[in-house]
Structure formats: structure tokens, C-alpha cells
Amino acid sequence: MLVVPAGAAVGLHVDATLGPPNGSVIPEAVSVLYLDVADDLAGGRLVLVDPATDRVVEGAPVVPRANRFVLFAGRLAHEVEAVTSSRPRVSIVCEQYALSPGVLSAVPRVKVHSRSAFDAVLADVRARGSRS
């Protein structure tokens, strides 16, 4: 989850959460789902830049709106302009990787835990995983 409070911005970068600090492992794609965007929002746009040309890509900047879904190539640099609003700009960001077995083996295992009805879905996924 990415929460950008009033007055804040996110500088230009390429996502590489699962890779080493040198940026040698980048996602195939990045998706953003805007959850909460104040009606009085000014700024906060998602700017996508092609590193090969150093130019803003077609269709960008993206104006955040609640329930808007954005999917872009993981190689694109991007930033969030400064936010001016009565509430933070809230989104979910998902980096989607296609990792080689060697790189994947270095990623720490995680445990997904949930409450209520989603527990049944997780149990089913775990059961299917143990059969392979």
C-alpha cells in the first residue's frame, strides 16, 4: 500500500523491490489501484517516463481517481507529483516479476494470513501447492 500524505511526493524511480540495490532485477509490469482519492486533490498524478528517451509516455501523467486501475511496463521510471488535499492519496501497488529459479530462491518465503472467508481460499491454494 502506498499512502502519499498532503505535501508529499514520490521521486522518480524504477521499482525493484525484489532485486539487489543495483536495479538488475526489475518487474515485468507494475499495477496501481487507487483506493482513496480526496475530492479536493490537486497534484498527485502518476508520471511515467521512458528511460530510453527520457520522455513522458503517451497517456501519462495519470490522474488518480478512486477505483482507477493502471498497468504499466516495469522498465518505466515513474514518480508521484506533490499531493495537495484534505486526505492522503492511497493506492495499492503490485510489482509483477518473472524471476529465474536462481533469483527466486533468494527471495524470502512469506506467510499469508487472513481472517474469515478468505481463509478457505488460502487453505485451498496451500492444498493445491502441496500436491505439486
Side-chain angles (χ1 to χ4, degrees), residues 36-61:
D36 188 27
V37 178
D39 292 336
D40 64 347
L41 175 75
R45 298 182 310 171
L46 174 64
V47 181
L48 304 170
V49 178
D50 186 337
T53 63
D54 210 26
R55 300 177 90 165
V56 174
V57 301
E58 186 176 342

Side-chain angles (χ1 to χ4, degrees), residues 112-122 126:
V112 178
H113 177 75
S114 179
R115 296 182 185 160
S116 195
F118 195 62
D119 283 340
V121 173
L122 290 175
R126 287 185 189 114

Side-chain angles (χ1 to χ4, degrees), residues 13-27 74-75 97 103:
H13 66 283
V14 174
D15 289 336
T17 304
L18 293 184
N22 68 8
S24 62
V25 177
I26 60 169
R75 66 177 183 76
Y97 290 85
V103 173

